Amino acid sequence: MKVHRVRLGADEYRVISPARPARGAYLHDRWAASMYVDREASEQLFAAWWLAARSPRSLVYVPMRGNGAAPDGLPDTAGEPVAPLDLVLVDHRVQFPVSRWKAVRARLGAGRLHTVKIPADGFRDEGADVHPLYGTEGFRDYLHFERAADTLFVVGSSLAFRQTGAMVRELIADEYAFRRGHGDPHHCVELSSGPWHRRRTRGRVSARLHIQYCEGMRAA
């Protein structure tokens, strides 16, 4: 990973990004926020979720726009061109104004290489330990989504990132199962801002993110 420190006025931001962004990833927000990832990109996404859950003072930045347009044949990309987006995961306690992201991104520089060991069984326990109020009116600890500067922001608490991280982990587990000859060839997860009756959009931003595994995907 790379660690960047950016100062804007009196504020300093710590940004974590991949040392080498995966090429097989594409994200857009047309009718709903949709992401497509290959094997390398799904593992990088899992690492980003792990860091977001355990680095509450950092912005975790996953560049994807440089991968270009989505490959032909992906669902919901036919017709008019769809602009690609980057991804940023951030703990809500940072209270990061997304309007500042363009200026922060422009000042990232080369960053400093930092070794992080991501456990292969990360988020395993969280998958079985769903909060007892999850899905009820009394639960408020969901992710929410914002957009600025060609970037989708996923914002939430450590708990929200841990519990949705278990879902991201399942995306990889399903892919491994399919390679062994078991399971459905369609692997996806959908992360939302809460039960359907509580979902809200902020401006034109979707209230959910659909992530689908696509074998051998490379952007054109």
Side-chain angles (χ1 to χ4, degrees):
M1 308 299 290
K2 292 191 293 186
V3 177
H4 315 258
R5 292 191 180 276
V6 175
R7 180 167 290 280
L8 284 182
D11 298 314
E12 183 178 76
Y13 299 105
R14 183 176 186 263
V15 181
I16 305 173
S17 68
R20 184 179 64 83
R23 293 288 297 162
Y26 178 81
L27 170 64
H28 74 83
D29 187 7
R30 190 176 188 178
W31 298 296
S34 297
M35 184 187 305
Y36 302 93
V37 292
D38 66 3
R39 171 75 172 275
E40 180 187 15
S42 65
E43 292 178 347
Q44 195 165 95
L45 185 66
F46 173 79
W49 235 267
W50 175 265
L51 290 167
R54 285 157 175 79
S55 302
R57 293 183 294 277
S58 300
L59 289 83
V60 182
Y61 170 41
V62 186
M64 297 184 188
R65 288 184 304 145
N67 293 344
D72 293 336
L74 289 184
D76 66 32
T77 58
E80 63 184 74
V82 182
L85 301 174
D86 288 332
L87 179 71
V88 169
L89 313 177
V90 59
D91 193 289
H92 60 179
R93 288 171 291 183
V94 175
Q95 297 185 333
F96 179 72
V98 298
S99 59
R100 306 193 95 186
W101 174 241
K102 187 174 183 178
V104 170
R105 184 176 59 198
R107 292 165 172 79
L108 288 178
R112 297 182 63 180
L113 288 174
H114 186 75
T115 301
V116 179
K117 186 174 182 179
I118 308 296
D121 61 349
F123 297 125
R124 183 188 298 275
D125 294 338
E126 281 82 3
D129 187 24
V130 177
H131 192 283
L133 294 181
Y134 187 87
T136 70
E137 288 293 341
F139 191 79
R140 295 290 184 270
D141 214 348
Y142 298 104
L143 298 174
H144 73 266
F145 306 95
E146 300 188 42
R147 200 171 79 195
D150 300 314
T151 302
L152 179 71
F153 290 83
V154 181
V155 185
S157 67
S158 293
L159 173 63
F161 279 116
R162 291 198 310 272
Q163 296 204 334
T164 53
M167 299 171 66
V168 175
R169 182 180 181 279
E170 284 301 308
L171 184 73
I172 301 174
D174 287 347
E175 185 269 332
Y176 280 132
F178 178 67
R179 283 177 175 269
R180 293 194 301 269
H182 307 285
D184 192 322
H186 180 90
H187 321 303
C188 68
V189 296
E190 185 164 291
L191 312 178
S192 78
S193 58
W196 68 269
H197 59 283
R198 292 193 61 250
R199 290 179 186 172
R200 298 289 184 270
T201 57
R202 300 171 68 89
R204 296 176 59 190
V205 185
S206 297
R208 62 187 185 275
L209 169 61
H210 180 266
I211 307 171
Q212 181 175 334
Y213 180 87
C214 292
E215 176 70 29
M217 197 188 86
R218 285 294 183 271

